[in-house]
Amino acid sequence: MDFMLSEQEKQFKRFCKEFAKDKLALLAEKYGETDEAPRDMVAQMAAAGFFELLLPEELGGKGIKALPICLAREAFAGVFCPADVTLAMQGLGSYPIHLAGNPDQKKKYLVPVAKGELLTTYALTEPGAGSDVNGMKSAAHVEGEGFRLNGEKIFISNGYSANILVTFARTPLTDNPRAMSAFILEKGMPGLSVAQRLEVIAPHDLVRLKYENIFVPRENLLGEMGQGFNIAMQTLELFRMTVGAAALGIGQAAFDSALHHVKKRVQFGKPLAEFQATQIKLADMVMELDAARALVYRAAILKDRGERAVGRHASMAKLYATEASFKVVDQAVQLHGGVGLLKGSVVERLYREIRALRIYEGTSEIQRLIIANLILKE
Ligand SMILES: Cc1cc2nc3c(=O)[nH]c(=O)nc-3n(C[C@H](O)[C@H](O)[C@H](O)COP(=O)(O)OP(=O)(O)OC[C@H]3O[C@@H](n4cnc5c(N)ncnc54)[C@H](O)[C@@H]3O)c2cc1C
């Protein structure tokens, strides 16, 4: 699919892959599977300039382009999951500030995020509001020179490591009682706490957050009151396709491992690769990955060209790439036989890591609903 990329983009893709091979693989060996965002990982990613992909050019960054973020996530995800998650969360937690922040907020937060000095996250989901964001109960009421915020958030990635977060809460307005606003919270604000660290199928820095009477100064409101829903959705529109890219990276790593295995493993007197049943599986796997890659790169290229109606492409990229890569990883485990299920085997880890991607940033079912809604409106 590299024919879709310019020479500069191909070079950047090689750079990402080399970084993953030379640096992230060593960190993966050092930390194993971890639910932390290791400081030396953050420092190395920052030194290599990856967080500058999330900073606009006017602030000294590389401009916020979807394709390079996709290429980096594709290269990182199969190698060291925390690196992929950290790049994604630095983006999800800073893009709302780029979209709606005032110059002071941008200066205060975006530059330190791009240097890796601040870790951030995006806190939207609640126990009663997952797919249905409008089920949100967290609420902020105007009080003096700010807001009083109460509520709770769940499944927040990098929520333990993050120093700041962008969050969303109801701020009823007279003309819109269900209005939602976006706020920047800083760890250490009285009333903001990590109520629980959550353990999931593959280690992931994941928490439940509690907001108990937090006083949020007015200067921490992002944009205008009532703009929260739009800010949340515009952010997801960019980052959704990058989830597809991460899935692709995981699927490709599983495929590579399976390809290596079937050439070596001998049964019935010959390598598995010589059986047609194996070859048919390999052909399907590589075709699925190529189709997924085409959809991911297409969505990113259209977004970077400034096409307005990119929502459908973003959802198709996320949906297809996560579902296809899940099937590829499953087949890779199958091709490994019993050793594919041994703890510590690459495909066993990838099998667990890929699962969440069909759920977060909008489940596969929700992506289908978005695609259908957009088609029906065209
Ligand atoms: C590892 C991980 C990391 C995450 N990180 C973050 C994060 O950093 N920040 C954040 O805010 N959130 C995060 N999330 C939350 C994630 O975005 C939600 O889990 C997701 O949106 C689904 O919501 P839910 O879990 O409440 O499922 P539900 O909404 O309860 O859905 C359950 C099932 O019902 C289906 N369903 C729901 N509504 C419909 C419908 N109308 N039609 C058909 N089917 C439907 C869903 O597709 C799903 O299969 C994370 C989740 C995970 C697992």
Side-chain angles (χ1 to χ4, degrees), residues 169-246:
R170 294 220 171 280
T171 47
L173 297 170
T174 26
D175 59 341
N176 181 5
R178 298 181 61 75
M180 214 180 268
S181 298
F183 299 94
I184 306 165
L185 304 186
E186 297 186 11
K187 285 271 182 74
M189 280 179 160
L192 170 60
S193 63
V194 172
Q196 192 185 1
R197 295 190 75 175
L198 304 169
E199 283 185 47
V200 278
I201 183 168
H204 191 107
D205 175 349
L206 200 67
V207 303
R208 187 162 65 84
L209 294 171
K210 208 148 182 65
Y211 303 159
E212 281 173 303
N213 272 324
I214 306 176
F215 180 74
V216 186
R218 194 161 188 100
E219 69 214 38
N220 286 37
L221 172 71
L222 260 182
E224 303 289 325
M225 276 175 77
Q227 289 182 340
F229 187 80
N230 282 343
I231 295 171
M233 293 306 125
Q234 277 185 59
T235 301
L236 290 177
E237 187 179 283
L238 169 61
F239 284 92
R240 222 160 237 164
M241 63 185 80
T242 77
V243 179

Side-chain angles (χ1 to χ4, degrees), residues 272-285:
L272 295 179
E274 290 185 21
F275 295 106
Q276 279 193 335
T278 306
Q279 293 168 5
I280 286 167
K281 276 196 172 66
L282 293 175
D284 284 346
M285 289 160 85

Side-chain angles (χ1 to χ4, degrees), residues 59-73:
L59 288 176
K62 294 178 179 157
I64 307 169
K65 297 268 185 262
L67 188 63
I69 301 172
C70 285
L71 296 176
R73 291 197 69 179

